[in-house]
Amino acid sequence: VSSSTIEVTFHPAGVTAQATAGVALSEAAASVGVAINAPCGGKGTCGKCRVRVRSGAVSEPTAQELQLLSSEELEAGVRLACQARALGECEVETAGVGDVVVRKDLDEDALRHYPLEPRVKRRALALDPPELGDQRSDLLRLWDKLGTAGCSCRARLAALERLPGVLRGDEFNVVATMLDDLLVAVEPRDTARDPYGAAVDVGTTTIVAYLVNLNTGRIEATCATLNPQTRHGADVISRIEHARDVPGGLEELQGEVVGAINALVGRALQDVGAETNHLFELTVVGNTAMHHLLLGLDPQYIAQAPYIPVVSQPLTLYASDLGIEAASGGQVFVLPIVAGFVGADTVGVMTAADITSRGPTLAVDIGTNGEIALWSGERLLCASAAAGPAFEGAKISQGMYAAPGAISAVTLNGEDLEISTIDGEPARGICGSALFDATAVLLETGALELNGRLAAEADGLPPGISARMSGEGNGRRVLLASEDIAHNGHPVYLTQPDIREIQLAKGAIRAGVEVLLAEAGISADDLEAVLLAGAFGNHIRPESAVRMGVLPPVDRERVVAVGNAAGAGALMALCSESERGLACRLAVEAEHVELAANPRFQMAFMETMLFE
Amino acid sequence: VSSSTIEVTFHPAGVTAQATAGVALSEAAASVGVAINAPCGGKGTCGKCRVRVRSGAVSEPTAQELQLLSSEELEAGVRLACQARALGECEVETAGVGDVVVRKDLDEDALRHYPLEPRVKRRALALDPPELGDQRSDLLRLWDKLGTAGCSCRARLAALERLPGVLRGDEFNVVATMLDDLLVAVEPRDTARDPYGAAVDVGTTTIVAYLVNLNTGRIEATCATLNPQTRHGADVISRIEHARDVPGGLEELQGEVVGAINALVGRALQDVGAETNHLFELTVVGNTAMHHLLLGLDPQYIAQAPYIPVVSQPLTLYASDLGIEAASGGQVFVLPIVAGFVGADTVGVMTAADITSRGPTLAVDIGTNGEIALWSGERLLCASAAAGPAFEGAKISQGMYAAPGAISAVTLNGEDLEISTIDGEPARGICGSALFDATAVLLETGALELNGRLAAEADGLPPGISARMSGEGNGRRVLLASEDIAHNGHPVYLTQPDIREIQLAKGAIRAGVEVLLAEAGISADDLEAVLLAGAFGNHIRPESAVRMGVLPPVDRERVVAVGNAAGAGALMALCSESERGLACRLAVEAEHVELAANPRFQMAFMETMLFE
């Protein structure tokens, strides 16, 4: 391996990494914010980080690659990004499974009403030009007009540097931008443009940014990507270990998430024709590990008893302190967290629901962790269940994120299954919502037994379904998409081991729900509403969630799928100072129920792993 | 000129600049914070930037050098730093006239009493270790102990990054450092050390930093240097023009002053064995131009009618926003200014004197600009007179700063003059205080006529003095130090053109004083006290200042030399929040009297240029 610098270009992102020859493709990709899915943490065992090398010199296939890739794939230039090393200039395609395209649309019209009162305020001002009889400084002149005169003032230095030219640029007609009482920008009135903000949901697996025009409150662009930290492993524990055990690991993880946010928000700004200096505020939600890693805070004590986070309070920071690109003086509001594993994402869910203004309500956010909030009418209880990344496609043999070609829904149509894919493209794999559906349908038809075993005999099953089943024991599987409707003719199956992963994941979440209900002294029947959050392609269908048992048995009408509720909470905090206050109050009011090492949880889990 | 990179090492500073071959020695010096005096702005006309090249390849002497340097000097390697260019590695001595050694000692015991109540506060805390029944975050645990619990909090991110390790480092015994309600540092209690602050006086010509232990309020180190911006010219107008006319000029000037402050404060910290992360706050005074250049603010409108500064209010900034090296979260408080040419230095002088708590008082700060404050008992008036840098040694043929070997006092001893030099070293030149003395003594003995002409005839003069006078007309001069007591045997003279420069400088300041007295409707007799500020080697002697006429004729007992009063104001603002408040109130209360283009000033100046 020579030490010369080479360039690796990634498509369709169209970005080029500069690195030392011999760099793993996954590492080169991460260095420029291109996320490649690698749930095994780069060990070469999951085979999910497939990329295609279009041209250029790369290393010979490793033993892992020879085992996981077909000869046709190798022939076509397909490689594992964690294994293949660039030896010279090369061009690499990352499109396909593990693509950067992830859907987390948020329909702001479907959200409850909240007032538009962003922290960013704009004031158009006509100042009196100075003269010998009025030698007030440029800033004081502005200040007096803002009606905030006084001895002391708060202004961002960068807003002052060009102030003389700005004031004199349009005859002392200016637009001033304030963050609370801090002056962050002054522009000539004739060229000023609307201020923007971004609500960012940092998930363990995916990161999504909503770009909002703060004058209208409308989302003008949504961008999502895989969290580039996934290359160190799919779950939060692998990230925490990386931060703790690898020298410089914390800085590396922070750099990855910051780089991904910058890339996302930059793309969103480009989409609407705006620039970084129009972006004045970001709000961020994420679980506690993501929260700490974004802030560069040592996360190790979250993961060991007594599970103590560094900081739980809401934080307002300069974007520049985090390396996040925004207007000079632009700020980041990080929603508060509740406890070690109940993060700002849960606070976002509770805020989006305004949960304590309702009757008894259960909110469940299904992701790599299952975040659970229960408002009993008197107490607000929270917990986090480590569901693992199964519902986001990891550990599922043909699992994938909600990208085009993902099977996103499975329904029973007469005697057979019917599937639909995102964008109607040929099926490439299965995403979260379809796992719920498929499990529910298979249970309903008897193809899946309550103990989680796929029926060994096809007797009595609908003929269409029995025709889809094949294999024995752990090799038994259900065909979801046959080769004629699948991408590249590779059929998509749901396997017996996949079902086991689903059982573990749904069991963990459901056990958490049961513990909270017991702690609050209420039963599922007492619940007025069950809010089902989780940002999969075509949201989870409530009936499937109840049927497969991740939720307790309640009337279908009481279950409401609310999409990316954590992201909605971030959006509300961005657009409304009173919603921000609500988030802070809810975080203080919430009581954390520790599930780890909780005997009641262990007991419940033994039961909830099974189906009903 | 090749484009290779070379190294130029400066002694006695011992620092090495890296630059492109062909760089002027003055530029290489500025790039590493070594200030070389160049009042002509690098035109090669003043001859003050002499350095000695010990070894290495430099360009051939220019026409200017051949004119200004003697053949002995050239033989010895003496060159003008603005003319000589380094062609390869070289070693350069900057000691001598224009040395970086400048004295601005401040005796804090001689100042009026002020309370020690710095903004930086320390709290030693013993926290309760966390347990499963007490899962508060590390920060909240600290916060609760500080007694400042609440939903929102202010903490510096950098203080949190290592917080888990710090808390667990000394069994949850910590020392927290706060700036107001902002947590900036947490240290294990067993290794915490006293916090430091620095009061910085940024003069047009010299910069001085006082390093203060904020637990004791004592100055532990004082460092001073020439302002490296002097290489662009001695007065503020040349700097403002550089910022306005040269692309990148403002950034260059800002970088120079920031670099000098970092070098000064770094040296001071090293002197006391402390480190950058022990420095939590700096306070800064300076005239309006220095103030704007430090902050990177466009200064051009200060210099043209109606003379408008960008900002006049006091500013509190993160040191990092200015590139000033301090503890993470460390801040800079910049004292307010009054108007275009009445700067934070004047506010510092007024604060140090607590001027409005006295009877009618005049305060005059003699530097490159003469800053004048008059408290009439009812009104507080301020003005700034452009005295030019004569009193700091520029434009005086053998003028120099208050460095070792500078003649700092001249007295009449019987029939002859007697001089004394700083540190008793052989005389190298004349510094400001001696200019006042010499003028006063020469006037007193009749050797200097009231119209400013040196007596052409020696008749009637004390014999010692008449023996010192030689030459005719503009070439007439007075020997201050003969070759036997002078450095390198070069005698030191005060010349007729020097006297003319002194007349202009003292006339400008005195005219300003007269305008303020008239505006306030009082006379010099009404003054209870005259405070004479100005930081020359061995402060200005009041009797000389009155005799040579820079001050109005008042009883000797009423004149008090207060040394570097601007620096004292910065010191008080650093050590005491109530003094900081006083500075803010005085800046608001002060009325600015514009002298530029003021007919009354022009009239007064015609008179005050003459002696009395």
Side-chain angles (χ1 to χ4, degrees), chain A residues 291-444:
Chain A
H291 169 282
H292 278 43
L293 294 176
L294 171 64
L295 297 172
L297 302 175
D298 181 353
Q300 67 175 299
Y301 299 98
I302 305 171
Q304 65 192 58
Y307 314 105
I308 305 299
V310 180
V311 57
S312 50
Q313 298 102 311
L315 297 173
T316 302
L317 304 161
Y318 284 114
S320 56
D321 285 343
L322 292 177
I324 288 181
E325 292 159 7
S328 176
Q331 297 181 10
V332 177
F333 177 77
V334 183
L335 274 76
I337 65 175
V338 175
F341 276 109
V342 178
D345 47 359
T346 308
V347 174
V349 170
M350 297 190 297
T351 303
D354 194 2
I355 194 165
T356 57
S357 73
R358 298 163 167 264
T361 299
L362 174 70
V364 180
D365 188 6
I366 297 177
T368 308
N369 287 304
E371 317 270 1
I372 309 162
L374 175 65
W375 168 242
S376 73
E378 287 176 355
R379 292 171 69 192
L380 180 59
L381 302 176
C382 287
S384 173
F391 293 140
E392 308 222 38
K395 296 190 180 172
I396 302 298
S397 53
Q398 288 180 279
M400 66 177 283
Y401 304 114
I407 298 174
S408 60
V410 179
T411 48
L412 188 63
N413 186 3
E415 303 283 281
D416 196 5
L417 299 179
E418 186 170 284
I419 67 157
S420 53
T421 66
I422 293 183
D423 287 356
E425 292 204 3
R428 292 166 177 269
I430 316 169
C431 80
S433 52
L435 293 175
F436 285 74
D437 284 350
T439 308
V441 168
L442 295 174
L443 280 170
E444 199 57 40

Side-chain angles (χ1 to χ4, degrees), chain A residues 54 88 96 118 160 182 242 283 307 367 397-398 402 409 434 455 481 518-519 539 554:
Chain A
R54 270 191 201 168
L160 306 184
L182 177 71
H242 187 81
T283 54
Y307 314 105
S397 53
Q398 288 180 279
E519 175 71 28
H539 307 158
V554 293

Side-chain angles (χ1 to χ4, degrees), chain A residues 131-132 135-140 151 157 161 164 168 296 301 306 308-314 322 584 592 594, chain B residues 131-132 135-140 151 157 161 164 168 296 301 306 308-314 322 584 592 594:
Chain A
E131 51 186 61
L132 271 174
Q135 290 184 315
R136 282 174 300 163
S137 67
D138 285 345
L139 180 62
L140 190 57
C151 176
L157 190 58
E161 280 165 6
R168 291 160 182 83
Y301 299 98
I308 305 299
V310 180
V311 57
S312 50
Q313 298 102 311
L322 292 177
C584 296
H592 173 231
E594 182 64 58
Chain B
E131 51 187 61
L132 272 175
Q135 290 183 317
R136 283 175 299 164
S137 67
D138 285 346
L139 180 61
L140 190 57
C151 175
L157 190 58
E161 280 164 5
R168 290 158 183 84
Y301 299 99
I308 306 299
V310 180
V311 57
S312 50
Q313 297 103 313
L322 293 178
C584 296
H592 173 231
E594 182 63 59

